[in-house]
Amino acid sequence: MSDARLRMRYLDDVLRLLYPSPGGRSPRTVLPHRLAPRRLVPRTRWHAALGRPVLVSDGPDTIETYLSGVLGRPVTTVVRVRAPLRDNRKPVLEAYGDATLLGFVKVGDTERARALVRHEAAVLEMLAGLPLKVVTPPVVRHHGVWRGLDVLLLSPLPVTSRRVPADLFDAAVREIAAIGLHAAIDPAAEATAHPRGWHWHGDLSPWNIAPAPDGRLLVWDWERFGCGVPLGFDALHHFFHRALRRMRPPQAARACLAQSGRVLEPFALSTAEARRTAVHYLVTLADRHYRDGHEPLGPPSEWLSPLVDHLESLI
């Protein structure tokens, strides 16, 4: 089944969840972009050329009425969905009051997605109490349960550019790594080994970061945040996912290993330490995909095993 068809089928499921109506669908119409069906927006007159409307409920118990009650003002939403190929996929909404973006909403609609939403909420609440100097995460405006679904409303971040200076990125990696370690919240502190390992954002991809107007780094999507990893995992993740934009997974994995010394040089790792960290990172990523039940890079036997089978001593 094509990706677009999967998205449209999932879209129908999402609509039933977010806009339930005991009496059937009402004439509040919205537009799915069938050429790129990831987005559901209020329908306007010129949308008639793009296809038939989809009917959704505007009844008393929809996600919009729930958010309106939470924020104390009328709220409309734009819904984004992706094909449900991994069990961490979830509906993401933009919440608007008039024309003002009030925040982004994540809806945990599966057991796995609910766990990730709850984890991100807990992480962001923890970060709100830390004296971060480099990283700016979103603020939790609301976390609750509606009709059995976890709903997390996050403040929007002021993204004005996507070009992140290298020194700012490296400082953010250090600060995130040092979270929770005594006297190590200062990103200028010398990186030293710690018996519990370091923290990492878990998905510090190019699309999850942006420079802030005040010189800090805006960072969102904290649902993969974790600890107990070698220093530099976030930097390798960022490099690897940039490489995947122009290379196939086997070539990107080889580049990640080959360039690990350069990527991790700002963190004072030796070449051997950098290579060992890169192998550890790639194995960790493959394990994450396995646990998610979806392998977007293909089977590890094709993109990972040929690279690491002869490097067992590094693992």
Side-chain angles (χ1 to χ4, degrees):
M1 185 177 294
S2 70
D3 184 67
R5 188 181 295 273
L6 281 171
R7 285 199 200 105
M8 292 306 296
R9 176 175 291 183
Y10 183 46
L11 179 60
D12 289 338
D13 296 336
V14 168
L15 291 180
R16 284 191 288 269
L17 282 174
L18 302 184
Y19 302 92
S21 175
R25 300 297 174 94
S26 78
R28 177 185 179 268
T29 59
V30 293
L31 170 78
H33 287 211
R34 295 185 180 275
L35 298 180
R38 296 186 177 191
R39 207 160 172 251
L40 200 69
V41 300
R43 190 176 177 86
T44 59
R45 185 179 305 171
W46 66 268
H47 288 152
L50 297 180
R52 294 181 299 173
V54 172
L55 302 183
V56 299
S57 171
D58 59 358
D61 191 18
T62 69
I63 189 64
E64 290 186 353
T65 56
Y66 174 74
L67 293 172
S68 297
V70 166
L71 295 177
R73 60 184 297 182
V75 171
T76 58
T77 59
V78 171
V79 183
R80 297 177 182 271
V81 297
R82 297 180 180 179
L85 298 178
R86 292 167 64 183
D87 63 356
N88 68 313
R89 293 298 191 210
K90 65 189 74 64
V92 177
L93 294 74
E94 299 167 8
Y96 289 89
D98 298 324
T100 303
L101 178 62
L102 303 176
F104 293 90
V105 184
K106 293 187 176 184
V107 180
D109 60 340
T110 66
E111 182 178 352
R112 178 64 172 154
R114 284 192 290 271
L116 289 171
V117 167
R118 292 169 186 167
H119 178 67
E120 181 168 18
V123 169
L124 291 175
E125 294 286 6
M126 178 268 294
L127 294 177
L130 296 180
L132 299 175
K133 298 179 180 179
V134 180
V135 172
T136 299
V139 173
V140 175
R141 298 193 65 182
H142 171 74
H143 178 220
V145 178
W146 170 74
R147 297 178 63 89
L149 306 174
D150 271 75
V151 178
L152 178 62
L153 173 61
L154 304 175
S155 65
L157 294 176
V159 178
T160 57
S161 170
R162 299 309 294 265
R163 295 178 63 87
V164 177
D167 58 345
L168 176 61
F169 177 80
D170 293 341
V173 171
R174 291 191 193 95
E175 184 170 72
I176 293 170
I179 286 173
L181 307 184
H182 63 280
I185 203 66
D186 184 354
E190 183 179 357
T192 56
H194 193 279
R196 294 198 308 273
W198 301 87
H199 287 78
W200 70 313
H201 173 274
D203 194 12
L204 208 64
S205 311
W207 48 86
N208 284 336
I209 59 176
D214 63 1
R216 292 155 64 103
L217 187 69
L218 306 174
V219 182
W220 53 92
D221 279 355
W222 290 81
E223 63 187 31
R224 297 291 193 171
F225 179 81
C227 63
V229 302
L231 179 63
F233 259 36
D234 274 330
L236 291 167
H237 187 83
H238 186 269
F239 174 88
F240 183 54
H241 283 77
R242 289 186 62 190
L244 285 170
R245 289 179 166 178
R246 61 185 187 278
M247 305 176 187
R248 294 180 59 81
Q251 289 74 38
R254 286 200 294 270
C256 186
L257 179 61
Q259 296 295 321
S260 59
R262 178 184 64 80
V263 173
L264 299 182
E265 184 179 6
F267 310 103
L269 298 183
S270 68
T271 300
E273 290 171 330
R275 286 172 60 82
R276 185 162 53 247
T277 300
V279 172
H280 190 172
Y281 160 71
L282 293 170
V283 171
T284 299
L285 186 65
D287 180 65
R288 173 191 291 180
H289 292 163
Y290 173 78
R291 288 183 284 109
D292 281 349
H294 176 55
E295 296 175 338
L297 306 181
S301 59
E302 296 179 1
W303 67 270
L304 179 61
S305 298
L307 179 68
V308 303
D309 280 351
H310 66 288
L311 298 173
E312 292 183 1
S313 61
L314 294 180
I315 302 177

